[in-house]
Amino acid sequence: SQQIQFADDMQEFTKFPTKTGRRSLSRSISQSSTDSYSSAASYTDSSDDEVSPREKQQTNSKGSSNFCVKNIKQAEFGRREIEIAEQDMSALISLRKRAQGEKPLAGAKIVGCTHITAQTAVLIETLCALGAQCRWAACNIYSTQNEVAAALAEAGECCRCFGGSFIGSFPFMPVLFLVGGLTAPCFSQILDDGGDLTHWVYKKYPSVFKKIRGIVEESVTGVHRLYQLSKAGKLCVPAMNVNDSVTKQKFDNLYCCRESILDGLKRTTDVMFGGKQVVVCGYGEVSPGTGCDPSLPARCDPSLPVCSSMDGFRVVKLSEVIRQVDVVITCTGNKNVVTREHLDRMKNSCIVCNMGHSNTEIDVTSLRTPELTWERVRSQVDHVIWPDGKRVVLLAEGRLLNLSCSTVPTFVLSITATTQALALIELYNAPEGRYKQDVYLLPKKMDEYVASLHLPSFDAHLTELTDDQAKYLGLNKNGPFKPNYY
């Protein structure tokens, strides 16, 4: 198993050149292939595409300019998107209503690096309603819904900064902390998706990293990074592994990926799946046969190929079938799963995409060479053309397919977001010494409570929490799970 490598900071800072810089790239790369920076479901205004958000001077209605988004004028449209998402995020809204009186996050300063979508916005505004101050950046330039970022920037009190659609996560990290006169990061917790923010703070501000109350991580890639740090003795703060919570794996990783991968493929390519041969690199509780998440193969579970076979899938080596398949999907959480050698051998019009968090599973860098021509045919769809005329259809330039090319079911994201909020509350309020410098899962009963918020008739009982934990949470251990603010 290959170790998941941290990206080189300097490489990431230069990864997304300005508009002017992009024009000087090789002519083999179609100019249009780098011009789309917004989710397929996002409202766009082409009149603003010529100027990077970093070069704009924008002010919201409150007079604040302490943000960086594509177009603040889209705020009203973004607010409607957030209101629509709230309608199907019943658990998170229920948590907000129950807990906003007690303010369990009062004084908390939370920084986050996640996808900027309407569902994420509901989570951010819930954290603020519970007393937290938040700053945010995007973890994926293509999943950013610009109008939602504008709506949150307009709200002002919630988030200071965003990874606008021309900006990736790493180039934006310094701005995330250093705006508003700050000379160093000042926060109590990290909410991360993929480990980019955690790694950046760990490397740039190690003294600050040691003082935070904890990290909440939701993706396989980010959790794997945390376990690597823990194994090396370098994780000096407690961290919550939300990805392996039952409410994440059984809902988000399964139902969300199962529905959204087909949605993304159909929206971008209009492909008919009847008669097609599809190869999926990776298998587990979260792959296309069951879901489709960047998942368990990164942990080298030797039983997974057997499980895949038992579930009715043919287990093969990619090199054996690469000439025949019509669609290649990666979801391993690893790097260079599909190499240039594989790409050279693919048949004409083969579709290549990634469902892992990072964009390293497909070796896209090897395709940016003079002999190959890039042609943008629609948003997030590039044809990479070989000298003999063969075309490979690359989606989202190897980034996360569903959030880059379509949308994901709001309901299942509500479950994950509620679990994240509970993890933040738990870490912030836990007495000193409860959590050591390690990676933890939330108690199972908290998972059950998240489920009960979606199904009010569901009655969870406290059987696995200690007396001390029950007392701390204000729970009646012999009765229904009815905590003070959970």
Side-chain angles (χ1 to χ4, degrees):
S1 173
Q2 300 180 27
Q3 292 276 309
I4 295 179
Q5 301 296 321
F6 294 133
D8 180 77
D9 286 347
M10 293 307 296
Q11 177 184 350
E12 290 287 351
F13 268 84
T14 59
K15 194 171 183 179
F16 304 104
T18 62
K19 192 81 172 183
T20 303
R22 285 198 298 271
R23 292 196 180 100
S24 64
L25 294 176
S26 169
R27 290 188 178 182
S28 65
I29 305 175
S30 169
Q31 172 61 42
S32 61
S33 69
T34 54
D35 282 351
S36 181
Y37 295 89
S38 174
S39 164
S42 181
Y43 170 85
T44 56
D45 183 354
S46 59
S47 63
D48 294 308
D49 285 349
E50 293 301 321
V51 182
S52 165
R54 284 175 288 187
E55 299 170 2
K56 292 182 180 180
Q57 293 295 323
Q58 301 186 83
T59 304
N60 65 14
S61 63
K62 299 178 180 64
S64 172
S65 58
N66 200 5
F67 57 85
C68 186
V69 299
K70 183 176 181 180
N71 186 355
I72 191 63
K73 296 178 182 178
Q74 298 177 2
E76 183 178 351
F77 182 84
R79 179 52 55 186
R80 292 199 296 272
E81 293 279 341
I82 295 171
E83 291 171 353
I84 292 171
E86 287 177 346
Q87 296 174 13
D88 208 21
M89 301 187 78
S90 55
L92 202 55
I93 298 302
S94 177
L95 177 65
R96 183 191 299 182
K97 291 178 179 178
R98 294 186 188 191
Q100 62 184 357
E102 296 190 24
K103 303 289 184 185
L105 289 174
K109 295 181 179 180
I110 301 171
V111 293
C113 182
T114 65
H115 301 280
I116 302 297
T117 65
Q119 294 80 15
T120 305
V122 178
L123 170 61
I124 294 170
E125 294 191 337
T126 297
L127 298 177
C128 292
L130 302 187
Q133 298 178 33
C134 298
R135 290 173 180 250
W136 231 259
C139 71
N140 186 326
I141 60 173
Y142 297 126
S143 65
T144 300
Q145 292 181 325
N146 299 302
E147 67 282 1
V148 172
L152 288 169
E154 173 61 29
E157 75 280 1
C158 201
C159 289
R160 298 284 183 166
C161 300
F162 294 91
S165 49
F166 282 79
I167 306 173
S169 54
F170 275 90
F172 196 55
M173 293 292 187
V175 186
L176 177 66
F177 299 117
L178 305 183
V179 295
L182 294 176
T183 56
C186 180
F187 56 91
S188 57
Q189 290 170 286
I190 292 175
L191 177 58
D192 214 351
D193 186 343
D196 294 340
L197 177 56
T198 298
H199 176 58
W200 188 84
V201 176
Y202 169 76
K203 289 197 68 176
K204 297 296 182 182
Y205 296 95
S207 60
V208 176
F209 186 76
K210 296 176 182 178
K211 297 178 181 178
I212 63 177
R213 296 200 185 191
I215 301 164
V216 175
E217 172 60 57
E218 76 148 336
S219 77
V220 172
T221 304
V223 166
H224 192 62
R225 286 177 164 185
L226 288 174
Y227 281 123
Q228 284 182 355
L229 285 175
S230 178
K231 186 176 181 180
K234 298 179 180 179
L235 183 63
C236 49
V237 296
M240 283 289 185
N241 170 5
V242 170
N243 180 75
D244 291 324
S245 296
V246 175
T247 46
K248 174 69 162 60
Q249 284 204 347
K250 299 297 185 183
F251 293 92
D252 194 335
N253 289 0
L254 179 59
Y255 300 111
C256 176
C257 297
R258 175 186 290 176
E259 294 190 16
S260 61
I261 186 171
L262 292 176
D263 183 31
L265 285 166
K266 286 182 175 292
R267 286 196 195 201
T268 50
T269 64
D270 302 317
V271 66
M272 180 175 179
F273 284 95
K276 296 293 191 298
Q277 295 190 60
V278 180
V279 61
V280 179
C281 303
Y283 189 81
E285 200 161 38
V286 284
S287 290
T290 48
C292 183
D293 176 312
S295 79
L296 302 178
R299 301 182 191 173
C300 296
D301 186 340
S303 71
L304 291 177
V306 179
C307 293
S308 176
S309 179
M310 294 292 287
D311 285 341
F313 297 99
R314 180 186 171 198
V315 180
V316 297
K317 293 182 178 179
L318 181 60
S319 58
E320 295 175 354
V321 298
I322 195 64
R323 293 185 184 276
Q324 290 81 42
V325 295
D326 302 286
V327 182
V328 177
I329 304 170
T330 59
C331 54
T332 69
N334 220 318
K335 63 183 296 185
N336 293 336
V337 177
V338 176
T339 64
R340 175 61 186 270
E341 180 182 357
H342 293 129
L343 293 160
D344 285 338
R345 296 173 60 200
M346 287 179 183
K347 63 194 266 188
N348 185 48
S349 298
C350 182
I351 300 170
V352 187
C353 61
N354 171 46
M355 279 292 289
H357 171 81
S358 181
N359 64 337
T360 59
E361 298 200 38
I362 302 168
D363 188 8
V364 177
T365 303
S366 68
L367 297 177
R368 299 193 182 279
T369 53
E371 73 272 15
L372 302 182
T373 302
W374 285 57
E375 180 180 85
R376 173 59 56 96
V377 294
R378 59 171 63 167
S379 178
Q380 311 301 0
V381 182
D382 287 299
H383 283 187
V384 183
I385 307 171
W386 267 250
D388 63 359
K390 182 190 84 170
R391 294 171 180 247
V392 167
V393 183
L394 179 65
L395 304 183
E397 297 189 28
R399 294 181 179 270
L400 187 63
L401 171 68
N402 57 357
L403 280 162
S404 299
C405 300
S406 63
T407 58
V408 293
T410 300
F411 179 80
V412 292
L413 291 186
S414 173
I415 297 178
T416 298
T418 306
T419 307
Q420 289 173 308
L422 289 173
L424 289 166
I425 293 172
E426 170 68 8
L427 283 174
Y428 187 68
N429 291 279
E432 187 175 353
R434 168 168 290 177
Y435 295 105
K436 305 297 189 293
Q437 298 170 353
D438 206 346
V439 185
Y440 292 85
L441 288 172
L442 280 169
K444 183 179 178 181
K445 288 301 172 182
M446 292 188 184
D447 281 332
E448 292 182 357
Y449 181 63
V450 174
S452 73
L453 289 174
H454 288 85
L455 300 173
S457 61
F458 176 77
D459 213 15
H461 292 273
L462 299 173
T463 57
E464 298 183 9
L465 293 182
T466 65
D467 290 335
D468 176 63
Q469 287 175 321
K471 182 179 179 181
Y472 160 67
L473 295 173
L475 308 175
N476 175 10
K477 194 172 181 183
N478 297 318
F481 190 71
K482 294 179 180 178
N484 289 336
Y485 52 73
Y486 283 105

